[in-house]
Amino acid sequence: MEFWEVARRAEVGPMMKESDFDMKISMTAMELAKEHDIVYDPSVYVSSDDSMADDVWQAGLELLLRCGVYNVSNKRVITFAEDEVKNALRHVVAEFEIGKGKDRIKIRSRKVEDRTKPTIFSGAFGVETTLDMFVPFNQAFVQEPLIDVLFHGGHIQSIDGITTIRANSAFEVIAARIYAELMNQALILGGRPFMPIVWGVAAGVSSLNELGADSIMPRNPEDILRAVMFLPELKLDDVLLSKTAHFMNYGYPLYAGTTPVIGGYAGDANTAAIVAVAEQIATNLVFGALVNHIGPQHMRYRSQTNPASLWMNSVMGQAVARNSNLITTTSVTTAGRPGSMQMHLEGAAMAISSVVSGRNLLGPRPAQPLYPNHHNPLHSRLFAEVAHAATKLKREEANEIVAKLVLTYKDTLDFDKSPKGKPFEQSYDVKTLKPTEENLNLYREAKAKLIDLGLELEI
């Protein structure tokens, strides 16, 4: 389906109150879960039930057809016919190349228990970043060879005495331009000038102001994935549609995603898995995205490594991998913060769950950073190593390992109990960009724990 047909339906589709649409999503998901006998089992972290995965796929497809996608700007519903959805799924791009020279990579659709290595998207995603640290902070991520695609570079915290850059303000336009200039420096200094990168709202610039950087993007648009994100659940607005139109006109490939919320209108883990499948299909259908992202969020924990999110991610991921060729990613947001053992182990749990379920990976990142520059590239390194090792696992083996990992952090998932960690400046020498000995020892200790649990990691 052409994007302009989606945009037309956003203008002329049937009208509905937003609250009515939210309730329709909830009620339809519950009806479909009952109809297909989709039940959450809290004792399982990584599902190995192929029949359930196929049922969740069918239920998600039915939910999208019954509910459509809601435009909050004009209260209209974008509806789709079954043949339109199935035709779009038949023609999805299952692999593509991006980047240049030695930084050129191939990103693929993955299958359940796929032996091919997942693509690793990582960076200072979601973290406030000071201007003086922006280049070395991002350069340290660029220099991690197992990161395939740099995912954002953190929020620029303040400019010219403005300590908090307000959403939709003129300073956001300046922040977008500075971000582009400094990111180009980080890529060059990191020795990977043509490294693929995901660029978008999570870089700290909201609304349409991020377009202020387009004139000085680091390189050709075909090497930069632009990010657009659904509002939960199955909702968008005129700004998202306008940005999509702009990105199409400039030739940017799209990275589109959504964060289905367990405990919100998506309901419990079983119904959230159904909603997640519908949204995974819709990111491709609406935005024409090459990469389709899910963040299995939880209303209470506000992170993605809790038991319910792990189960939902595995069931939803397998549903999509078994029934489509969509290129997908799962984001990994942890309660433990950078510079802590808990963040290493939480990231490993979701990495294992995702890889055996047919996903590529984004992360890890802290759900609640406490300081500026509150991230640590060594977390990305171990995360990638775990993801690669997980390609050797069966789902049953993965479930056993993840169950043991969850036991190590399940009592400290609440933010007031989770470790505070340390900012980048206390974890790295900011001149040499080498990790401190304390940081390296933590990484080695976490790796040793994972080896003891059965992962084949190099010492």
Side-chain angles (χ1 to χ4, degrees), residues 96 98 220-227 247 250-255 288-291:
F96 69 99
I98 191 168
N220 293 337
E222 63 269 19
D223 298 320
I224 305 171
L225 288 154
R226 299 303 292 265
F247 297 152
Y250 275 77
Y252 293 110
L254 290 186
Y255 181 108
L290 289 180
V291 182

Side-chain angles (χ1 to χ4, degrees), residues 371-382:
Y371 324 108
N373 314 318
H374 198 180
H375 211 324
N376 183 334
L378 274 188
H379 285 286
S380 300
R381 183 187 300 179
L382 184 56

Side-chain angles (χ1 to χ4, degrees), residues 6 70 91 98 106 128 140 192 216 227 229 237 256 259-260 271 313 325 333 347 357 388 431 433 438 444 449 459:
V6 174
Y70 189 76
H91 293 91
I98 191 168
K106 183 176 287 186
E128 287 190 348
R192 301 173 73 181
I216 50 169
M229 299 290 290
D237 58 17
T259 52
T271 51
N313 175 67
N325 290 317
T333 301
S357 298
H388 293 171
K431 293 183 178 179
L433 299 185
E438 180 185 17
R444 292 167 182 149
K449 286 179 181 290
I459 299 176

Side-chain angles (χ1 to χ4, degrees), residues 40-348:
Y40 168 46
D41 182 351
S43 70
V44 175
Y45 302 99
V46 181
S47 174
S48 55
D49 189 334
D50 291 340
S51 177
M52 177 180 287
D54 293 342
D55 287 340
V56 168
W57 171 265
Q58 185 59 38
L61 177 60
E62 291 176 27
L63 186 140
L64 179 60
L65 294 173
R66 292 188 199 179
C67 297
V69 173
Y70 189 76
N71 184 357
V72 300
S73 296
N74 63 2
K75 306 184 187 307
R76 292 189 181 274
V77 179
I78 305 167
T79 59
F80 304 99
E82 184 173 1
D83 64 320
E84 292 175 327
V85 176
K86 290 185 174 180
N87 184 61
L89 288 169
R90 279 194 296 270
H91 293 91
V92 299
V93 175
E95 64 177 50
F96 69 99
E97 293 185 358
I98 191 168
K100 285 187 172 57
K102 67 181 181 63
D103 299 311
R104 190 166 183 82
I105 62 167
K106 183 176 287 186
I107 303 178
R108 299 179 175 88
S109 170
R110 301 185 71 253
K111 297 303 177 185
V112 176
E113 297 179 358
D114 200 322
R115 294 315 193 210
T116 60
K117 290 181 179 179
T119 300
I120 305 299
F121 297 74
S122 194
F125 175 32
V127 177
E128 287 190 348
T129 308
T130 56
L131 275 178
D132 63 321
M133 279 291 104
F134 188 94
V135 171
F137 190 30
N138 281 284
Q139 183 183 339
F141 280 99
V142 171
Q143 290 176 177
E144 286 295 331
L146 297 185
I147 297 177
D148 299 303
V149 183
L150 190 67
F151 199 91
H152 302 303
H155 302 229
I156 291 179
Q157 183 186 31
S158 62
I159 296 175
D160 197 23
I162 303 297
T163 56
T164 301
I165 298 175
R166 189 170 50 83
N168 301 316
S169 69
F171 280 95
E172 275 204 325
V173 178
I174 303 301
R177 182 182 178 90
I178 292 173
Y179 180 97
E181 292 174 341
L182 295 181
M183 183 55 74
N184 195 27
Q185 291 182 37
L187 292 168
I188 292 170
L189 291 172
R192 301 173 73 181
F194 299 111
M195 181 183 193
I197 182 171
V198 178
W199 199 288
V201 292
V205 181
S206 62
S207 190
L208 294 172
N209 284 350
E210 67 167 293
L211 308 188
D214 278 6
S215 63
I216 50 169
M217 283 296 195
R219 53 207 177 287
N220 293 337
E222 63 269 19
D223 298 320
I224 305 171
L225 288 154
R226 299 303 292 265
V228 287
M229 299 290 290
F230 269 128
L231 309 171
E233 307 289 348
L234 280 168
K235 292 189 284 192
L236 47 68
D237 58 17
D238 285 345
V239 168
L240 279 170
L241 291 169
S242 296
K243 285 165 62 171
T244 302
H246 173 84
F247 297 152
M248 285 177 53
N249 287 341
Y250 275 77
Y252 293 110
L254 290 186
Y255 181 108
T258 183
T259 52
V261 183
I262 299 171
Y265 288 114
D268 202 356
N270 61 332
T271 51
I274 295 170
V275 173
V277 166
E279 292 178 323
Q280 195 83 103
I281 298 170
T283 53
N284 177 266
L285 192 64
V286 172
F287 302 116
L290 289 180
V291 182
N292 304 273
H293 158 108
I294 286 286
Q297 193 59 274
H298 198 289
M299 179 72 79
R300 179 195 162 188
Y301 295 111
R302 293 174 288 162
S303 59
Q304 298 166 0
T305 57
N306 58 85
S309 289
L310 286 163
W311 182 90
M312 186 269 271
N313 175 67
S314 75
V315 172
M316 172 278 305
Q318 292 170 40
V320 174
R322 283 176 54 83
N323 292 278
S324 80
N325 290 317
L326 289 167
I327 299 172
T328 61
T329 60
T330 289
S331 69
V332 181
T333 301
T334 65
R337 299 175 180 92
S340 72
M341 176 64 70
Q342 181 171 323
M343 184 168 178
H344 276 306
L345 300 183
E346 284 185 68

Side-chain angles (χ1 to χ4, degrees), residues 326-450:
L326 289 167
I327 299 172
T328 61
T329 60
T330 289
S331 69
V332 181
T333 301
T334 65
R337 299 175 180 92
S340 72
M341 176 64 70
Q342 181 171 323
M343 184 168 178
H344 276 306
L345 300 183
E346 284 185 68
M350 184 57 90
I352 294 166
S353 167
S354 299
V355 169
V356 299
S357 298
R359 316 285 293 177
N360 295 294
L361 280 168
L362 160 62
R365 74 177 183 107
Q368 189 197 56
L370 297 178
Y371 324 108
N373 314 318
H374 198 180
H375 211 324
N376 183 334
L378 274 188
H379 285 286
S380 300
R381 183 187 300 179
L382 184 56
F383 179 74
E385 290 172 333
V386 169
H388 293 171
T391 61
K392 301 175 183 178
L393 298 175
K394 296 291 186 181
R395 285 172 289 176
E396 293 84 359
E397 296 170 318
N399 185 62
E400 290 180 9
I401 294 173
V402 172
K404 293 173 183 176
L405 286 169
V406 171
L407 285 175
T408 69
Y409 64 75
K410 67 181 180 64
D411 295 328
T412 51
L413 281 169
D414 291 325
F415 291 158
D416 61 342
K417 297 178 181 178
S418 57
K420 292 182 170 58
K422 294 183 177 182
F424 176 73
E425 301 94 311
Q426 294 179 23
S427 300
Y428 274 71
D429 182 318
V430 297
K431 293 183 178 179
T432 65
L433 299 185
K434 301 294 184 183
T436 64
E437 195 61 32
E438 180 185 17
N439 191 16
L440 273 172
N441 286 338
L442 180 69
Y443 159 81
R444 292 167 182 149
E445 183 183 348
K447 181 182 278 193
K449 286 179 181 290
L450 292 163

